[in-house]
Amino acid sequence: MPRSYAITFSAVAVSAAQDLFEITPADDKPVEIVGIELGQTSDSGDAQDEQLQLQIIRGHATSGSGGSAATPVPKDPSDAAAGFAAEVNNTTIASTGTTTTLHSTAWNVRAGYINWFPEGDRPKANQGNTTIVVRSSAPADAITLNGTLHVREL
């Protein structure tokens, strides 16, 4: 039975392009991204308004760095720990490999970003794909960002 997890970060200064989230699926345990939530607390004026690119990319062979490991939290407290590994805020983005961009959009830093993918249309990865990342372009100046990635392990 699939299990749902949340990976979060709070009050992180983001000044460069980065992999906000990086997931490495475990053997025989594919993952799917159910939803993404991003919001910032530092730029609220019209002059600070900007649009950042956001992509979900599958298939990097080399993990990013410069961020930190994150512990996926089970949504159901009786569920087991996640089998996949998670990292957040890698300032050196994942690289190499045969990649596929599964989702590409832009988000307004003042409005935030919330996206729930419909059943059957969720970005997925398995161990053979190595990683799946959520990548943001660089802001014009640093923003203080919070984020949650909602993931199901299948």
Side-chain angles (χ1 to χ4, degrees):
M1 171 159 242
R3 295 183 172 131
S4 296
Y5 300 88
I7 299 102
T8 65
F9 63 86
S10 297
V12 173
V14 173
S15 59
Q18 63 180 250
D19 290 339
L20 301 174
F21 301 97
E22 179 180 301
I23 303 297
T24 304
D27 189 24
D28 297 326
K29 293 184 177 180
V31 295
E32 67 180 4
I33 296 174
V34 177
I36 304 168
E37 298 178 66
L38 300 173
Q40 60 83 32
T41 59
S42 56
D43 288 8
S44 59
D46 288 350
Q48 297 167 317
D49 199 10
E50 59 184 305
Q51 308 289 323
L52 300 182
Q53 295 177 8
L54 189 71
Q55 294 181 310
I56 297 175
I57 305 166
R58 178 177 61 205
H60 286 294
T62 303
S63 176
S65 63
S68 59
T71 301
V73 176
K75 299 272 186 95
D76 182 337
S78 63
D79 277 349
F84 63 88
E87 296 178 8
V88 293
N89 306 110
N90 281 335
T91 53
T92 300
I93 59 176
S95 61
T96 70
T98 303
T99 61
T100 302
T101 300
L102 302 173
H103 182 72
S104 187
T105 189
W107 69 285
N108 181 298
V109 298
R110 286 179 56 206
Y113 181 79
I114 298 174
N115 187 0
W116 292 95
F117 293 97
E119 185 78 38
D121 195 30
R122 295 175 178 161
K124 293 182 178 144
N126 59 40
Q127 186 186 31
N129 304 128
T130 312
T131 63
I132 188 166
V133 300
V134 177
R135 181 171 294 160
S136 180
S137 60
D141 61 344
I143 58 175
T144 304
L145 191 60
N146 298 326
T148 303
L149 185 69
H150 303 273
V151 178
R152 284 181 50 186
E153 190 169 55
L154 308 173

